[in-house]
């Protein structure tokens, strides 16, 4: 089971999302290019957001604070709050739900697995994951609500 969460976490480093963004124009030829561009820009915003938060809200990872917790995979950075993996996963999941609810349901198990993997692997506290999910969901919702219409105007069918 630990191997599953290691794999999901590795894919959640960005590889799964990069592949999804690259295939979006092929899945939805009319709106897909605009959605892919919006996901890319929103993903960059997510990265800046979680890096700024981690820099100012310094919280050691669970395996550092509690030596009895085993680290299941090396972390990408030092601090724990919020979970950047979960922030991105929730952001993209929210955007997909708003763009294509049926397709988003097929991605949901991966998103939930990414969030769970962060705690299972000893990299985050549950509150890190919850905060990442809330922030990511809000960024995804704001991006789709306020910007998607503008992007679709740039890429008329």
């Amino acid at each position: 089971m630990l191997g599953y969460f290691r794999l999901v976490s590795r894919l959640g480093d960005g590889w799964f999302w990069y592949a999804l963004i690259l295939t979006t124009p092929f899945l939805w030829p009319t709106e897909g290019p605009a959605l892919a561009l919006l996901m890319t820009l929103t993903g960059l915003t997510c990265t800046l957001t979680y890096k700024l938060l981690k820099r100012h809200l310094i919280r050691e990872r669970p395996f550092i604070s509690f030596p009895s917790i085993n680290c299941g995979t090396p972390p990408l950075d030092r601090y724990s709050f919020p979970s950047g993996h979960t922030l991105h996963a929730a952001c993209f999941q929210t955007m997909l739900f708003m763009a294509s609810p049926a397709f988003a349901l097929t991605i949901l198990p991966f998103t939930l697995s990414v969030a769970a993997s962060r705690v299972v692997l000893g990299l985050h506290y549950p509150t890190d994951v919850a905060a990442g999910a809330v922030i990511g969901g809000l960024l995804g919702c704001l991006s789709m609500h306020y910007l998607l219409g503008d992007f679709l105007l740039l890429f008329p069918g």
Side-chain angles (χ1 to χ4, degrees):
M1 196 63 161
L2 200 56
Y4 169 77
F5 286 114
R6 284 186 181 125
L7 174 63
V8 166
S9 180
R10 180 72 175 132
L11 291 172
D13 285 350
W15 301 109
F16 179 85
W17 305 116
Y18 304 147
L20 180 65
I21 289 168
L22 289 173
T23 58
T24 298
F26 300 102
L27 295 172
W28 302 285
T30 305
E31 300 89 3
L35 181 59
L37 180 58
L38 185 60
M39 289 175 77
T40 301
L41 295 174
T42 307
L44 291 171
T45 302
C46 287
T47 300
L48 291 172
T49 301
Y50 91 80
K51 284 185 181 276
L52 283 171
L53 288 171
K54 281 188 178 193
R55 181 178 293 154
H56 295 291
L57 304 173
I58 297 168
R59 182 180 196 184
E60 294 289 350
R61 292 184 180 274
F63 74 90
I64 293 172
S65 298
F66 300 95
S68 63
I69 295 176
N70 292 323
C71 179
T73 191
L76 296 178
D77 55 34
R78 178 163 179 185
Y79 298 116
S80 179
F81 187 86
S83 167
H85 280 71
T86 306
L87 195 148
H88 280 92
C91 175
F92 294 139
Q93 185 69 54
T94 299
M95 294 176 82
L96 289 173
F97 264 120
M98 294 177 78
S100 176
F103 180 74
L105 284 174
T106 66
I107 304 298
L108 185 60
F110 177 76
T111 298
L112 295 173
S113 293
V114 167
S117 77
R118 309 313 290 163
V119 176
V120 169
L121 296 172
L123 297 168
H124 289 283
Y125 297 97
T127 51
D128 302 335
V129 171
V134 169
I135 295 166
L138 286 171
L139 287 172
C141 186
L142 288 171
S143 180
M144 289 294 283
H145 186 70
Y146 290 108
L147 298 177
L148 185 60
D150 294 336
F151 276 100
L152 290 179
L153 291 175
L154 294 174
F155 300 95

